[in-house]
Amino acid sequence: MEFGILGLAGAGKTTIFSLLTGAEVPFGTGKSHVGIAKVPDRRLDLLSELFKPRKHTPATVKFVDVPPVTKGGAATLNLPELRTMDGLALVLRGFTNPQVPHPEGQLNPQRDLELIETELLLSDLTVASGRLERLAKELPKHRTPELEREKQVLERCLAFLEEGRPLRELALTPEEERVLKGFTFLTRKPLLLILNADEAEASNLPQALARWGLQELESRPRVAVTAVCASLEEEISRLAAEDQEAFLKELGLPDRALSRVLEKAYALLGQISFFTVGEDECRAWSIPQGTTAVKAAGVIHSDFERGFIRAEVVRWDELLACGSLAVCRSKALLRQEGKDYVVQDGDVITFKFNV
């Protein structure tokens, strides 16, 4: 699961990237940076407390921090590492800092969003129109049903983009999705909007979102909205774990906003987690919603999928209540599932296989 982080200069995207991933990034390099963030999951923490494993392995999200977006800079968005991302995280500035002037003057997250979306649209327009120009030359020589279908789908996309609408709002059939897969359109990717709020609003981030009219954007297709105060999160990150909890309580915050950013990113891409447990390792595994048991087994190792026999499944909370897999089995809570079982979020699974 991979996200590209975008934003205007001075929005705080690199700070958020560093806080999410723990990567130390020098400012102003003009280069992309890659980091891995661990997804917080209280369920996994509790399972590790029960099994006391040698390894505790949470699910992860890969983030790529790309150079700042500039007005008229659509060409700079044609980055291979950005186009291969599963989603885009767009950081919008909602804080004041006289020492870091806003490139567009006054604060206005809605305007910044429109500016960046315009550059993404222009980048996709270039890709779609370029391919249609090539198809116009190819079709008279090699007219095939596949090329005709590609032309039809791209013409729909081009018309949509010319209306100023992102492709994530365009309804496509599974066949049309397959046709477009290789184009990696930026406006087709799910979009996570992150408001980098002012410290004065850190204790009421929903209010900050409402003030800038961002919360309502969550009703758009494949868009999620969240908020964080990066400067405050930076302060918290320097504290010891026990001091962090006290500091959050003092501010009246239930948890770190960065945790909610990761949870939003995870949910936006339609991911769920199942767990494997034991004395060696307790681990969360990421899979798309609707994944069958045999395909989930393949996420761990191809041998598990190839030699799949069955999956022994129990809910994470039932396992905690029982205290062991043996007790779950004695209470008939440990179910035997076949390859077509659809894995549910929070399942604890032991795969039986033979190769």
Side-chain angles (χ1 to χ4, degrees):
M1 189 167 65
E2 303 177 349
F3 269 86
I5 297 188
L6 302 169
L8 299 181
K13 68 177 182 60
T14 298
T15 300
I16 290 175
F17 167 80
S18 296
L19 288 166
L20 285 168
T21 64
E24 294 292 334
V25 178
F27 287 90
T29 63
K31 298 179 180 178
S32 298
H33 302 93
V34 180
I36 304 296
K38 297 176 181 178
V39 179
D41 194 322
R42 182 60 178 158
R43 300 170 301 179
L44 181 64
D45 295 340
L46 292 170
L47 289 169
S48 287
E49 287 178 15
L50 176 63
F51 284 88
K52 297 177 174 53
R54 285 182 280 276
K55 285 181 67 180
H56 171 93
T57 310
T60 59
V61 180
K62 177 181 175 181
F63 285 96
V64 177
D65 177 35
V66 301
V69 178
T70 57
K71 186 184 288 187
T76 63
L77 292 171
N78 193 24
L79 301 169
E81 61 267 40
L82 190 58
R83 290 198 170 273
T84 58
M85 294 292 102
D86 299 309
L88 301 178
L90 203 164
V91 178
L92 301 169
R93 180 168 172 172
F95 65 90
T96 56
N97 185 342
Q99 295 179 330
V100 184
H102 194 294
E104 295 298 312
Q106 293 184 337
L107 283 185
N108 189 333
Q110 285 270 11
R111 175 208 57 211
D112 296 347
L113 171 59
E114 290 175 12
L115 187 157
I116 296 171
E117 278 273 65
T118 297
E119 299 304 330
L120 295 173
L121 284 162
L122 290 172
S123 181
D124 282 353
L125 270 167
T126 300
V127 173
S129 59
R131 178 54 181 160
L132 283 168
E133 287 173 8
R134 292 192 296 276
L135 282 172
K137 296 175 182 177
E138 290 178 32
L139 279 169
K141 302 173 186 175
H142 309 286
R143 190 171 294 277
T144 65
E146 292 77 17
L147 289 179
E148 287 281 9
R149 186 61 179 147
E150 182 182 340
K151 179 175 177 289
Q152 292 171 4
V153 179
L154 283 173
E155 284 175 341
R156 280 190 66 203
C157 291
L158 187 66
F160 209 76
L161 291 165
E162 286 175 339
E163 293 174 5
R165 301 171 67 187
L167 293 179
R168 74 182 73 89
E169 297 179 3
L170 177 62
L172 296 171
T173 65
E175 182 190 348
E176 289 171 331
E177 289 276 15
R178 285 193 294 273
V179 170
L180 293 181
K181 188 175 181 181
F183 291 96
T184 60
F185 287 119
L186 295 175
T187 63
R188 185 66 186 164
K189 298 181 185 298
L191 185 65
L192 175 62
L193 300 177
I194 304 172
L195 176 68
N196 190 1
D198 201 271
E199 282 195 25
E201 296 179 299
S203 61
N204 195 342
L205 293 173
Q207 180 179 296
L209 289 169
R211 181 163 77 91
W212 295 112
L214 296 175
Q215 195 65 65
E216 61 196 44
L217 300 179
E218 201 151 33
S219 62
R220 294 181 180 178
R222 304 171 81 190
V223 173
V225 181
T226 189
V228 64
C229 176
S231 58
L232 183 64
E233 291 286 343
E234 207 166 20
E235 285 182 45
I236 296 172
S237 69
R238 298 193 189 104
L239 301 174
E242 58 273 17
D243 294 331
Q244 288 184 12
E245 189 173 339
F247 189 53
L248 288 168
K249 189 174 181 180
E250 184 181 328
L251 292 172
L253 300 174
D255 54 18
R256 293 189 64 178
L258 281 175
S259 299
R260 294 194 293 279
V261 169
L262 289 169
E263 289 164 3
K264 282 273 188 177
Y266 207 66
L268 179 62
L269 295 186
Q271 297 287 303
I272 62 170
S273 291
F274 73 90
F275 307 107
T276 53
V277 296
E279 293 180 356
D280 288 333
E281 182 182 38
C282 285
R283 180 165 181 168
W285 300 87
S286 302
I287 55 171
Q289 291 177 355
T291 299
T292 59
V294 67
K295 291 299 181 183
V299 172
I300 299 175
H301 197 284
S302 58
D303 284 351
F304 282 33
E305 181 177 359
R306 187 158 52 93
F308 182 93
I309 298 173
R310 66 180 182 277
E312 295 184 345
V313 184
V314 64
R315 295 291 304 163
W316 70 275
D317 49 351
E318 292 176 338
L319 174 54
L320 286 175
C322 290
S324 73
L325 290 169
V327 174
C328 289
R329 185 177 285 107
S330 70
K331 293 186 175 182
L333 295 173
L334 193 65
R335 310 186 311 274
Q336 308 294 314
E337 301 287 0
K339 61 171 65 176
D340 294 327
Y341 169 72
V342 177
V343 176
Q344 302 299 305
D345 187 42
D347 279 349
V348 178
I349 306 180
T350 302
F351 292 103
K352 301 297 182 181
F353 69 102
N354 182 38
V355 290

